[in-house]
Amino acid sequence: MKTSILLLVPFLGACFCPAMPIQSAGPVAQGPAMEPLQTAAPIPQRTAPPTPAGAEGSLRQVMLTRHNSARAAMNVPPLVWSDALQASAQAYADDMAAMNRFGHAQQRGVPEGENLWMGTRGAYSYSDMVDSWIEKGQYYVSGPAPNNSRSGVQMGHYTQVIWRGSTQLGCAVSENQSKEFLVCRYAPRGNAFGQVPEKS
């Protein structure tokens, strides 16, 4: 059975205000601390076989294309790839896969923006993974974060994707016997409390 879980970036202001609640496709522990893996709600089966991750192009190519398409739709400049952010994302994706845990990293120093995804190994393409964040754009309402949803859906994944002040992107995937983990890191970090995503 295929499952996937998303984990959004907590909104933090310049004063490091408390994080907003984490949203997921199933019951996942709250807060940025690493917690044991939880069971996700089942996702309906596809009507056609999935495109294997990698068959549609490199991770870098797909992530930049999909992110920058979403940003262009909001008249936001494109992101550029960062090898340093990719290395940071790879280290954390490998850690989650090895520990079979899913949750935001406890970062030190200047924090990077972070979007996380987890799903059944081999069941999703790279586009499927990133589009699970971007598709939330249909619920987006412009305004000060985090009040950007017309439906109550939490928008942290999407607002980090389109955050104007974020200029660099690095993503990585890791896997274990049953699951794949995608980590995307952003610099400078977005999702600052009280700022308008496409203007800040």
Side-chain angles (χ1 to χ4, degrees):
M1 178 179 296
K2 293 183 0 176
T3 62
S4 69
I5 295 177
L6 313 178
L7 205 59
L8 60 82
V9 181
F11 285 96
L12 296 179
C15 61
F16 296 97
C17 304
M20 298 300 292
I22 290 173
Q23 179 207 4
S24 72
V28 177
Q30 301 295 305
M34 294 291 290
E35 297 292 344
L37 179 69
Q38 302 294 316
T39 303
I43 304 297
Q45 294 292 322
R46 296 174 181 271
T47 56
T51 301
E56 59 189 335
S58 70
L59 177 70
R60 173 176 176 167
Q61 174 187 352
V62 173
M63 293 297 144
L64 275 176
T65 298
R66 299 302 298 138
H67 275 80
N68 287 336
S69 177
R71 291 170 71 88
M74 298 298 294
N75 296 313
V76 174
L79 296 166
V80 298
W81 192 259
S82 164
D83 290 338
L85 289 175
Q86 180 186 24
S88 174
Q90 188 69 66
Y92 190 56
D94 290 346
D95 183 64
M96 286 197 295
M99 300 297 292
N100 200 34
R101 294 182 178 181
F102 185 66
H104 280 295
Q106 294 182 317
Q107 300 183 47
R108 298 180 179 180
V110 178
E112 300 161 350
E114 182 177 82
N115 270 345
L116 304 180
W117 177 94
M118 181 186 71
T120 304
R121 178 181 176 182
Y124 297 90
S125 68
Y126 294 147
S127 290
D128 291 333
M129 297 174 190
V130 68
D131 284 352
S132 67
W133 305 332
I134 293 170
E135 287 170 358
K136 293 184 178 183
Q138 64 186 301
Y139 306 113
Y140 180 73
V141 176
S142 181
N147 300 314
N148 302 116
S149 178
R150 69 176 77 252
S151 66
V153 172
Q154 293 190 30
M155 301 296 293
H157 297 103
Y158 177 74
T159 54
Q160 175 60 85
V161 168
I162 66 163
W163 199 270
R164 179 176 291 271
S166 296
T167 59
Q168 300 178 66
L169 171 70
C171 302
V173 169
S174 193
E175 63 185 35
N176 57 28
Q177 290 186 341
S178 60
K179 301 174 183 68
E180 284 184 284
F181 300 81
L182 168 66
V183 178
C184 282
R185 292 276 173 90
Y186 307 81
R189 183 176 186 164
N191 284 354
F193 191 92
Q195 297 185 24
V196 179
E198 72 273 22
K199 297 180 180 179
S200 301

Short mmCIF file of all heavy atoms in Angstrom, two decimals, residues 149-194:
data_model
loop_
_atom_site.label_atom_id
_atom_site.label_comp_id
_atom_site.label_asym_id
_atom_site.label_seq_id
_atom_site.Cartn_x
_atom_site.Cartn_y
_atom_site.Cartn_z
N SER A 149 -4.43 30.69 3.91
CA SER A 149 -5.26 29.61 3.40
C SER A 149 -6.73 30.02 3.29
O SER A 149 -7.29 30.59 4.23
CB SER A 149 -5.15 28.38 4.30
OG SER A 149 -5.99 27.34 3.84
N ARG A 150 -7.32 29.71 2.15
CA ARG A 150 -8.75 29.99 1.98
C ARG A 150 -9.61 28.84 2.50
O ARG A 150 -10.83 28.96 2.55
CB ARG A 150 -9.07 30.24 0.50
CG ARG A 150 -8.96 29.03 -0.39
CD ARG A 150 -9.38 29.33 -1.83
NE ARG A 150 -8.36 30.05 -2.56
CZ ARG A 150 -8.48 31.34 -2.90
NH1 ARG A 150 -9.54 32.03 -2.56
NH2 ARG A 150 -7.51 31.92 -3.58
N SER A 151 -8.99 27.72 2.90
CA SER A 151 -9.76 26.53 3.26
C SER A 151 -9.41 25.95 4.61
O SER A 151 -10.00 24.96 5.01
CB SER A 151 -9.55 25.46 2.19
OG SER A 151 -8.22 25.02 2.21
N GLY A 152 -8.42 26.53 5.29
CA GLY A 152 -7.96 25.94 6.55
C GLY A 152 -6.77 25.03 6.38
O GLY A 152 -6.17 24.61 7.38
N VAL A 153 -6.42 24.69 5.14
CA VAL A 153 -5.22 23.89 4.89
C VAL A 153 -4.00 24.71 5.26
O VAL A 153 -3.88 25.87 4.88
CB VAL A 153 -5.14 23.49 3.39
CG1 VAL A 153 -3.81 22.82 3.08
CG2 VAL A 153 -6.30 22.57 3.04
N GLN A 154 -3.08 24.13 6.02
CA GLN A 154 -1.86 24.85 6.38
C GLN A 154 -0.94 24.94 5.16
O GLN A 154 -0.77 23.97 4.42
CB GLN A 154 -1.17 24.18 7.55
CG GLN A 154 -2.01 24.28 8.83
CD GLN A 154 -1.24 23.84 10.05
OE1 GLN A 154 -0.04 23.98 10.12
NE2 GLN A 154 -1.96 23.31 11.03
N MET A 155 -0.35 26.10 4.98
CA MET A 155 0.30 26.44 3.72
C MET A 155 1.82 26.50 3.80
O MET A 155 2.47 26.98 2.88
CB MET A 155 -0.24 27.79 3.23
CG MET A 155 -1.75 27.83 3.03
SD MET A 155 -2.29 26.71 1.71
CE MET A 155 -1.56 27.50 0.29
N GLY A 156 2.42 26.04 4.88
CA GLY A 156 3.85 26.22 5.07
C GLY A 156 4.72 25.64 3.98
O GLY A 156 5.76 26.22 3.64
N HIS A 157 4.35 24.48 3.41
CA HIS A 157 5.13 23.93 2.31
C HIS A 157 5.14 24.89 1.12
O HIS A 157 6.19 25.23 0.58
CB HIS A 157 4.55 22.59 1.84
CG HIS A 157 4.57 21.51 2.85
ND1 HIS A 157 3.45 21.13 3.55
CD2 HIS A 157 5.59 20.72 3.28
CE1 HIS A 157 3.78 20.14 4.36
NE2 HIS A 157 5.06 19.87 4.23
N TYR A 158 3.94 25.30 0.74
CA TYR A 158 3.81 26.14 -0.46
C TYR A 158 4.44 27.50 -0.26
O TYR A 158 5.13 28.01 -1.14
CB TYR A 158 2.33 26.28 -0.83
CG TYR A 158 2.10 27.19 -2.01
CD1 TYR A 158 2.41 26.75 -3.30
CD2 TYR A 158 1.59 28.47 -1.84
CE1 TYR A 158 2.20 27.58 -4.39
CE2 TYR A 158 1.39 29.30 -2.93
CZ TYR A 158 1.70 28.85 -4.20
OH TYR A 158 1.50 29.68 -5.29
N THR A 159 4.22 28.11 0.90
CA THR A 159 4.76 29.45 1.10
C THR A 159 6.28 29.44 1.13
O THR A 159 6.91 30.40 0.67
CB THR A 159 4.19 30.11 2.37
OG1 THR A 159 4.40 29.25 3.50
CG2 THR A 159 2.70 30.39 2.21
N GLN A 160 6.91 28.37 1.61
CA GLN A 160 8.36 28.29 1.52
C GLN A 160 8.81 28.18 0.06
O GLN A 160 9.79 28.79 -0.35
CB GLN A 160 8.90 27.13 2.33
CG GLN A 160 10.40 26.91 2.19
CD GLN A 160 11.24 28.10 2.62
OE1 GLN A 160 11.55 28.28 3.79
NE2 GLN A 160 11.64 28.95 1.66
N VAL A 161 8.07 27.42 -0.74
CA VAL A 161 8.41 27.28 -2.16
C VAL A 161 8.42 28.64 -2.86
O VAL A 161 9.31 28.94 -3.65
CB VAL A 161 7.43 26.32 -2.86
CG1 VAL A 161 7.57 26.39 -4.38
CG2 VAL A 161 7.65 24.88 -2.39
N ILE A 162 7.43 29.49 -2.57
CA ILE A 162 7.30 30.77 -3.30
C ILE A 162 7.89 31.96 -2.53
O ILE A 162 7.77 33.09 -3.00
CB ILE A 162 5.82 31.06 -3.63
CG1 ILE A 162 5.00 31.29 -2.35
CG2 ILE A 162 5.23 29.94 -4.48
CD1 ILE A 162 3.65 31.97 -2.60
N TRP A 163 8.52 31.72 -1.39
CA TRP A 163 9.00 32.83 -0.56
C TRP A 163 10.03 33.66 -1.33
O TRP A 163 11.09 33.17 -1.72
CB TRP A 163 9.61 32.30 0.72
CG TRP A 163 9.71 33.35 1.78
CD1 TRP A 163 10.76 34.20 2.00
CD2 TRP A 163 8.70 33.68 2.75
NE1 TRP A 163 10.46 35.04 3.05
CE2 TRP A 163 9.21 34.74 3.52
CE3 TRP A 163 7.43 33.19 3.02
CZ2 TRP A 163 8.48 35.31 4.57
CZ3 TRP A 163 6.71 33.74 4.05
CH2 TRP A 163 7.23 34.79 4.82
N ARG A 164 9.72 34.94 -1.55
CA ARG A 164 10.57 35.80 -2.38
C ARG A 164 11.98 35.92 -1.82
O ARG A 164 12.96 35.95 -2.58
CB ARG A 164 9.93 37.19 -2.52
CG ARG A 164 10.76 38.16 -3.36
CD ARG A 164 10.04 39.48 -3.56
NE ARG A 164 8.87 39.33 -4.42
CZ ARG A 164 8.94 39.46 -5.76
NH1 ARG A 164 10.08 39.72 -6.36
NH2 ARG A 164 7.84 39.32 -6.48
N GLY A 165 12.12 36.02 -0.53
CA GLY A 165 13.43 36.22 0.07
C GLY A 165 14.34 35.01 0.00
O GLY A 165 15.56 35.13 0.20
N SER A 166 13.79 33.83 -0.25
CA SER A 166 14.61 32.64 -0.44
C SER A 166 15.16 32.65 -1.87
O SER A 166 14.39 32.80 -2.83
CB SER A 166 13.80 31.36 -0.21
OG SER A 166 13.36 31.27 1.13
N THR A 167 16.46 32.49 -2.03
CA THR A 167 17.09 32.59 -3.35
C THR A 167 17.82 31.32 -3.76
O THR A 167 18.17 31.17 -4.93
CB THR A 167 18.09 33.76 -3.37
OG1 THR A 167 19.09 33.54 -2.37
CG2 THR A 167 17.37 35.08 -3.11
N GLN A 168 18.07 30.41 -2.82
CA GLN A 168 18.83 29.20 -3.11
C GLN A 168 18.07 27.95 -2.67
O GLN A 168 17.32 27.99 -1.69
CB GLN A 168 20.18 29.23 -2.39
CG GLN A 168 21.07 30.39 -2.79
CD GLN A 168 22.36 30.37 -1.98
OE1 GLN A 168 23.18 29.46 -2.11
NE2 GLN A 168 22.53 31.37 -1.13
N LEU A 169 18.30 26.86 -3.38
CA LEU A 169 17.61 25.60 -3.13
C LEU A 169 18.60 24.45 -3.24
O LEU A 169 19.47 24.44 -4.11
CB LEU A 169 16.50 25.40 -4.16
CG LEU A 169 15.80 24.04 -4.21
CD1 LEU A 169 14.93 23.84 -2.96
CD2 LEU A 169 14.95 23.91 -5.47
N GLY A 170 18.45 23.48 -2.36
CA GLY A 170 19.19 22.22 -2.47
C GLY A 170 18.32 21.10 -1.93
O GLY A 170 17.76 21.23 -0.84
N CYS A 171 18.18 20.02 -2.67
CA CYS A 171 17.30 18.92 -2.27
C CYS A 171 18.05 17.59 -2.38
O CYS A 171 19.02 17.46 -3.14
CB CYS A 171 16.06 18.85 -3.17
SG CYS A 171 15.05 20.34 -3.19
N ALA A 172 17.57 16.61 -1.64
CA ALA A 172 18.16 15.27 -1.67
C ALA A 172 17.13 14.24 -1.26
O ALA A 172 16.19 14.54 -0.52
CB ALA A 172 19.38 15.20 -0.73
N VAL A 173 17.33 13.02 -1.74
CA VAL A 173 16.45 11.89 -1.44
C VAL A 173 17.29 10.77 -0.84
O VAL A 173 18.42 10.53 -1.26
CB VAL A 173 15.72 11.40 -2.71
CG1 VAL A 173 15.01 10.08 -2.45
CG2 VAL A 173 14.72 12.44 -3.19
N SER A 174 16.72 10.09 0.14
CA SER A 174 17.33 8.88 0.68
C SER A 174 16.22 7.86 0.89
O SER A 174 15.03 8.20 0.84
CB SER A 174 18.06 9.18 1.99
OG SER A 174 18.89 8.09 2.36
N GLU A 175 16.59 6.63 1.10
CA GLU A 175 15.58 5.57 1.25
C GLU A 175 16.08 4.49 2.18
O GLU A 175 17.28 4.34 2.42
CB GLU A 175 15.21 4.99 -0.11
CG GLU A 175 16.37 4.31 -0.81
CD GLU A 175 16.02 3.83 -2.21
OE1 GLU A 175 15.23 4.49 -2.91
OE2 GLU A 175 16.56 2.77 -2.61
N ASN A 176 15.11 3.76 2.73
CA ASN A 176 15.43 2.53 3.44
C ASN A 176 14.64 1.40 2.79
O ASN A 176 14.25 1.53 1.61
CB ASN A 176 15.17 2.68 4.94
CG ASN A 176 13.74 3.08 5.28
OD1 ASN A 176 12.80 2.77 4.52
ND2 ASN A 176 13.54 3.76 6.40
N GLN A 177 14.40 0.32 3.48
CA GLN A 177 13.78 -0.83 2.84
C GLN A 177 12.36 -0.57 2.36
O GLN A 177 11.91 -1.20 1.40
CB GLN A 177 13.78 -2.03 3.80
CG GLN A 177 15.16 -2.61 4.05
CD GLN A 177 15.12 -3.86 4.88
OE1 GLN A 177 14.14 -4.13 5.58
NE2 GLN A 177 16.18 -4.65 4.83
N SER A 178 11.66 0.37 2.98
CA SER A 178 10.25 0.56 2.63
C SER A 178 9.86 1.99 2.29
O SER A 178 8.79 2.21 1.73
CB SER A 178 9.35 0.07 3.78
OG SER A 178 9.62 0.80 4.97
N LYS A 179 10.71 2.97 2.60
CA LYS A 179 10.30 4.36 2.46
C LYS A 179 11.36 5.20 1.77
O LYS A 179 12.55 4.89 1.82
CB LYS A 179 10.00 4.96 3.84
CG LYS A 179 8.91 4.24 4.61
CD LYS A 179 8.77 4.79 6.01
CE LYS A 179 7.73 3.99 6.78
NZ LYS A 179 8.21 2.60 7.05
N GLU A 180 10.89 6.28 1.12
CA GLU A 180 11.77 7.30 0.57
C GLU A 180 11.56 8.60 1.34
O GLU A 180 10.43 8.90 1.77
CB GLU A 180 11.49 7.54 -0.90
CG GLU A 180 12.02 6.45 -1.81
CD GLU A 180 11.79 6.77 -3.27
OE1 GLU A 180 10.65 6.63 -3.73
OE2 GLU A 180 12.75 7.17 -3.95
N PHE A 181 12.61 9.37 1.49
CA PHE A 181 12.58 10.62 2.22
C PHE A 181 13.16 11.72 1.33
O PHE A 181 14.27 11.59 0.83
CB PHE A 181 13.42 10.53 3.50
CG PHE A 181 12.97 9.47 4.46
CD1 PHE A 181 13.33 8.14 4.28
CD2 PHE A 181 12.17 9.80 5.55
CE1 PHE A 181 12.92 7.16 5.16
CE2 PHE A 181 11.74 8.82 6.44
CZ PHE A 181 12.11 7.50 6.25
N LEU A 182 12.39 12.78 1.13
CA LEU A 182 12.85 13.95 0.39
C LEU A 182 13.04 15.10 1.37
O LEU A 182 12.14 15.39 2.16
CB LEU A 182 11.84 14.35 -0.68
CG LEU A 182 12.06 15.72 -1.34
CD1 LEU A 182 13.34 15.74 -2.17
CD2 LEU A 182 10.86 16.09 -2.20
N VAL A 183 14.19 15.75 1.28
CA VAL A 183 14.47 16.95 2.05
C VAL A 183 14.85 18.05 1.07
O VAL A 183 15.73 17.86 0.23
CB VAL A 183 15.62 16.75 3.05
CG1 VAL A 183 15.92 18.06 3.81
CG2 VAL A 183 15.30 15.63 4.03
N CYS A 184 14.18 19.20 1.15
CA CYS A 184 14.60 20.39 0.43
C CYS A 184 14.98 21.46 1.45
O CYS A 184 14.23 21.69 2.41
CB CYS A 184 13.51 20.92 -0.50
SG CYS A 184 13.34 19.98 -2.04
N ARG A 185 16.11 22.08 1.21
CA ARG A 185 16.59 23.16 2.08
C ARG A 185 16.64 24.46 1.28
O ARG A 185 16.95 24.44 0.07
CB ARG A 185 17.98 22.82 2.63
CG ARG A 185 17.99 21.63 3.63
CD ARG A 185 17.64 22.11 5.02
NE ARG A 185 17.48 21.04 5.99
CZ ARG A 185 18.46 20.55 6.75
NH1 ARG A 185 19.70 20.99 6.61
NH2 ARG A 185 18.21 19.62 7.65
N TYR A 186 16.36 25.58 1.96
CA TYR A 186 16.24 26.89 1.33
C TYR A 186 17.07 27.92 2.09
O TYR A 186 17.13 27.89 3.32
CB TYR A 186 14.78 27.35 1.33
CG TYR A 186 13.81 26.36 0.73
CD1 TYR A 186 13.34 25.28 1.49
CD2 TYR A 186 13.35 26.50 -0.57
CE1 TYR A 186 12.45 24.36 0.95
CE2 TYR A 186 12.46 25.58 -1.11
CZ TYR A 186 12.02 24.52 -0.34
OH TYR A 186 11.12 23.61 -0.88
N ALA A 187 17.66 28.85 1.35
CA ALA A 187 18.39 29.95 1.97
C ALA A 187 18.17 31.22 1.14
O ALA A 187 18.17 31.15 -0.10
CB ALA A 187 19.87 29.64 2.09
N PRO A 188 17.99 32.35 1.82
CA PRO A 188 17.68 32.45 3.25
C PRO A 188 16.34 31.77 3.57
O PRO A 188 15.50 31.59 2.68
CB PRO A 188 17.59 33.96 3.50
CG PRO A 188 18.31 34.60 2.36
CD PRO A 188 18.09 33.68 1.19
N ARG A 189 16.16 31.43 4.82
CA ARG A 189 14.93 30.76 5.25
C ARG A 189 13.71 31.64 5.04
O ARG A 189 13.75 32.85 5.25
CB ARG A 189 15.06 30.41 6.73
CG ARG A 189 13.89 29.63 7.28
CD ARG A 189 14.14 29.26 8.72
NE ARG A 189 13.10 28.39 9.23
CZ ARG A 189 13.22 27.66 10.33
NH1 ARG A 189 14.32 27.71 11.02
NH2 ARG A 189 12.22 26.89 10.73
N GLY A 190 12.61 31.03 4.63
CA GLY A 190 11.35 31.75 4.47
C GLY A 190 10.42 31.52 5.64
O GLY A 190 10.84 31.15 6.73
N ASN A 191 9.12 31.75 5.39
CA ASN A 191 8.07 31.51 6.38
C ASN A 191 8.26 32.32 7.66
O ASN A 191 8.10 31.82 8.77
CB ASN A 191 7.94 30.03 6.71
CG ASN A 191 7.23 29.25 5.62
OD1 ASN A 191 6.72 29.84 4.66
ND2 ASN A 191 7.17 27.95 5.73
N ALA A 192 8.62 33.58 7.48
CA ALA A 192 8.74 34.48 8.63
C ALA A 192 7.35 34.98 9.02
O ALA A 192 6.60 35.48 8.19
CB ALA A 192 9.66 35.65 8.31
N PHE A 193 7.04 34.86 10.29
CA PHE A 193 5.73 35.23 10.81
C PHE A 193 5.42 36.69 10.49
O PHE A 193 6.23 37.59 10.72
CB PHE A 193 5.69 35.00 12.32
CG PHE A 193 4.32 35.10 12.92
CD1 PHE A 193 3.51 33.98 13.06
CD2 PHE A 193 3.81 36.32 13.35
CE1 PHE A 193 2.26 34.06 13.62
CE2 PHE A 193 2.56 36.42 13.90
CZ PHE A 193 1.77 35.28 14.02
N GLY A 194 4.23 36.94 9.93
CA GLY A 194 3.75 38.28 9.69
C GLY A 194 4.18 38.90 8.37
O GLY A 194 3.76 40.02 8.04
#
